[in-house]
């Protein structure tokens, strides 16, 4: 290898500052902004959380913010997506664990997994049920995309139950859409009840509603 090749090889390596690669520092800044967004959107609210406040909370510059997100909306979508992905993973594990069971225990485990995920942090619930509503067309499209994913999941469960003789064969898409709205409203009311509703009571009520919709 000649000297020019050595120089080119060195130039291709990611630079490290203080023993840390630039990519690591970038990822850390992004996560600080995510945490700042969760705190401010989930407490003060999205309309009250300016980019300047987000940057101050995260300890980054405005330039750093725009290196990670195109604006507050993009940060809100990223946070909302993280919450929904966490819930989807928890539901997926619950359904995998009950793969050989009948419809009711599968529905109950999935609902419990969803509720527990949303209960982990009250800021998540506020962001998911309040702050994303009516923000913009882009946020609404993202929200509707995820809602359709959950509709597909419920329809799949109902069709699975119908194939096993646990539910009548029919089109469950519209009723699944209504069920998602009911679940979201019940979980939202529970999160703002400040301990007035027991979590197991909430799960039991959602299961009753879900079984009434998906097994008739």
């Amino acid at each position: 290898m000649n000297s020019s090749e050595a120089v080119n090889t060195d130039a291709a390596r990611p630079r490290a500052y203080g023993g840390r690669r630039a990519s690591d520092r970038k990822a850390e800044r992004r996560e600080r902004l995510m945490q700042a967004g969760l705190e401010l959107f989930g407490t003060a609210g999205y309309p009250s959380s300016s980019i300047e406040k987000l940057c101050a909370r995260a300890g980054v510059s405005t330039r750093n913010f725009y290196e990670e997100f195109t604006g507050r909306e993009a940060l809100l979508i990223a946070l909302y997506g993280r919450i929904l992905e966490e819930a989807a993973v928890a539901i997926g594990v619950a359904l995998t664990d009950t793969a050989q069971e009948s419809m009711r225990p599968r529905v109950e485990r999935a609902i419990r997994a969803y509720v527990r995920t949303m209960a982990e942090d009250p800021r998540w619930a506020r962001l998911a049920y309040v702050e994303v509503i009516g923000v913009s067309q882009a946020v609404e499209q993202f929200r509707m995309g995820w809602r359709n994913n959950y509709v597909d999941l419920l329809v799949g469960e109902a069709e699975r139950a119908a194939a096993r003789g646990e539910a009548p064969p029919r089109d469950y898409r519209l009723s699944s859409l209504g069920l998602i709205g009911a679940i979201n409203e019940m979980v939202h009311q529970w999160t703002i009840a400040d301990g007035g509703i027991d979590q197991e009571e909430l799960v039991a009520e959602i299961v009753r509603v879900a079984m009434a919709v998906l097994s008739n």
Side-chain angles (χ1 to χ4, degrees), residues 128-180:
Y129 300 129
V130 179
E131 299 304 324
V132 298
I133 306 300
V135 171
S136 70
Q137 185 71 19
V139 175
E140 189 65 8
Q141 286 179 347
F142 186 81
R143 191 172 74 87
M144 291 300 100
W146 268 97
R147 187 190 67 178
N148 291 337
N149 290 340
Y150 280 111
V151 167
D152 290 341
L153 175 66
L154 290 173
V155 169
E157 282 301 303
E159 291 176 346
R160 177 182 183 276
R164 293 163 59 111
E166 298 176 280
R170 66 175 179 86
D171 185 353
Y172 283 89
R173 184 158 294 275
L174 191 58
S175 54
S176 294
L177 184 61
L179 176 57
I180 288 171

Side-chain angles (χ1 to χ4, degrees), residues 62-79:
T62 304
R63 179 177 62 82
N64 290 151
F65 180 94
Y66 284 110
E67 286 173 353
E68 302 300 330
F69 302 101
T70 56
R72 288 188 311 148
E73 224 174 83
L75 175 56
L76 180 67
I77 288 174
L79 283 166

